[in-house]
């Protein structure tokens, strides 16, 4: 029980903000479809024999909170090691690690923001040497999934903001931008892949989409579409984000 509480605390935005260490640059990466070509829950369902039960939930247009809860129920009684094994074995896109390392050398704090599960996102962020992960938290009892998921509060709009209630990755970025601890974030890059990433990408200074499906993202959204992470060296040159020392902001 103590370990479970510690694991949940590590996914909290307040804890993550304490680790900013005065960095003023932020890079946020989506996980499913961006860092990894595949989607974690589909990989997990294949390993656990739950693909048939999962597929209708992915295709439905139900409320996101309700759908997340139903998907979590599919993996009830699945041991934690199965989640960890799938996350460790997922294929990551070529060039991701080099991209993250370059951005960290330029003074960026790098995070994985996923609507998948923290148990997977945290493993993927370690594999690519990112600084943190933000994602919903699955609950485990004696290392067995209870089928319950806890939405990370960082995905919810602060009550005092006056924004509409709802779950959105863009609220994670707003927490960083509203961080009262100086200095303020002054440069944000976001890399996504899906329409669910659009509000987050539109809030960034520089937004990129890695191999999105044709026509998925609006052409006038100011998003640079790249075929792979290996295309970023050309972006660095164009935006003067080169070298090992902090370069001037684009």
């Amino acid at each position: 029980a103590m370990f479970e509480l510690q694991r949940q605390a590590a996914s909290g935005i307040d804890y993550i903000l304490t680790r900013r260490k005065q960095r003023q640059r932020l890079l946020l990466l989506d996980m499913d479809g961006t860092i990894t070509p595949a989607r974690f829950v589909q990989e997990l369902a294949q390993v656990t024999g739950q693909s048939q039960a999962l597929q209708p939930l992915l295709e439905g247009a139900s409320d996101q909170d309700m759908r997340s809860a139903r998907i979590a129920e599919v993996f009830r009684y699945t041991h934690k090691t199965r989640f960890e094994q799938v996350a460790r074995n997922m294929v990551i896109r070529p060039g991701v690690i080099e991209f993250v390392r370059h951005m960290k050398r330029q003074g960026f704090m790098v995070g994985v923001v996923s609507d998948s599960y923290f148990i997977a996102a945290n493993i993927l962020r370690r594999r690519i040497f990112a600084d943190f992960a933000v994602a919903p938290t699955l609950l485990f009892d004696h290392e067995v999934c209870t089928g319950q998921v806890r939405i990370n509060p960082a995905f919810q709009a602060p009550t005092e903001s006056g924004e509409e209630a709802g779950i959105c990755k863009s609220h994670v970025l707003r927490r960083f931008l509203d961080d009262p601890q100086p200095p303020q974030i002054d440069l944000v890059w976001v890399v996504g892949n899906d329409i669910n990433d659009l509000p987050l990408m539109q809030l960034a200074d520089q937004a990129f989409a890695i191999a999105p499906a044709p026509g998925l993202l609006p052409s006038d959204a100011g998003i640079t579409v790249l075929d792979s992470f290996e295309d970023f060296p050309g972006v660095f040159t164009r935006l003067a984000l080169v070298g090992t020392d902090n370069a001037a902001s684009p």
Side-chain angles (χ1 to χ4, degrees):
M2 184 180 297
F3 177 80
E4 177 66 10
L5 289 173
Q6 291 174 340
R7 188 175 66 85
Q8 293 180 33
S11 68
I13 190 66
D14 291 336
Y15 171 74
I16 292 169
L17 289 175
T18 65
R19 301 179 60 200
R20 186 156 70 93
K21 299 177 182 178
Q22 297 189 325
R23 284 174 285 189
Q24 296 177 261
R25 295 179 170 189
L26 180 67
L27 166 65
L28 298 180
L29 297 161
D30 171 53
M31 186 176 85
D32 292 335
T34 302
I35 295 173
T36 61
R39 189 170 179 177
F40 174 76
V41 292
Q42 290 178 313
E43 296 284 291
L44 180 63
Q46 184 174 355
V47 168
T48 57
Q50 297 292 344
S51 296
Q52 188 172 354
L54 175 67
Q55 195 57 38
L57 301 178
L58 298 179
E59 296 172 350
S62 59
D63 177 80
Q64 183 176 347
D65 292 356
M66 184 178 297
R67 182 169 62 177
S68 296
R70 289 177 176 173
I71 291 175
E73 290 175 0
V74 170
F75 302 111
R76 189 178 183 185
Y77 304 125
T78 301
H79 198 274
K80 186 177 70 172
T81 55
R82 303 299 292 273
F83 290 86
E84 296 170 335
Q85 176 188 15
V86 171
R88 292 191 183 104
N89 292 339
M90 288 187 75
V91 174
I92 60 176
R93 290 188 184 272
V96 174
I97 294 176
E98 293 78 7
F99 171 62
V100 170
R101 284 176 168 170
H102 181 89
M103 296 299 281
K104 291 177 74 171
R105 288 196 297 268
Q106 306 309 310
F108 282 79
M109 185 180 189
V110 181
V112 176
V113 179
S114 174
D115 51 15
S116 190
Y117 304 128
F118 180 74
I119 189 171
N122 199 41
I123 289 175
L124 263 298
R125 74 95 181 164
R126 288 175 177 170
R127 288 180 60 190
I128 67 171
F129 303 98
D131 296 299
F132 66 90
V134 183
T137 305
L138 274 176
L139 303 185
F140 292 86
D141 184 14
H142 291 84
E143 300 194 341
V144 175
C145 180
T146 66
Q148 297 174 298
V149 62
R150 179 174 296 169
I151 300 300
N152 193 309
F155 286 83
Q156 299 171 327
T159 54
E160 65 274 10
S161 68
E163 298 181 41
E164 285 188 28
I167 305 302
C168 185
K169 295 177 182 178
S170 65
H171 297 317
V172 176
L173 175 51
R174 293 189 186 278
R175 297 296 179 96
F176 276 93
L177 297 177
D178 295 340
D179 183 12
Q181 297 298 321
Q184 290 185 329
I185 297 291
D186 62 10
L187 180 61
V188 178
W189 282 31
V190 169
V191 184
N193 171 268
D194 202 340
I195 193 69
N196 291 336
D197 304 318
L198 184 58
L200 175 61
M201 291 191 285
Q202 290 179 323
L203 195 59
D205 297 299
Q206 297 287 343
F208 305 88
I210 302 296
L216 184 64
L217 298 172
S219 58
D220 60 348
I223 298 169
T224 301
V225 176
L226 303 176
D227 291 330
S228 74
F229 281 91
E230 294 176 319
D231 293 337
F232 269 107
V235 174
F236 297 148
T237 300
R238 176 169 60 85
L239 298 178
L241 197 68
V242 295
T244 57
D245 299 321
N246 288 357
S249 298

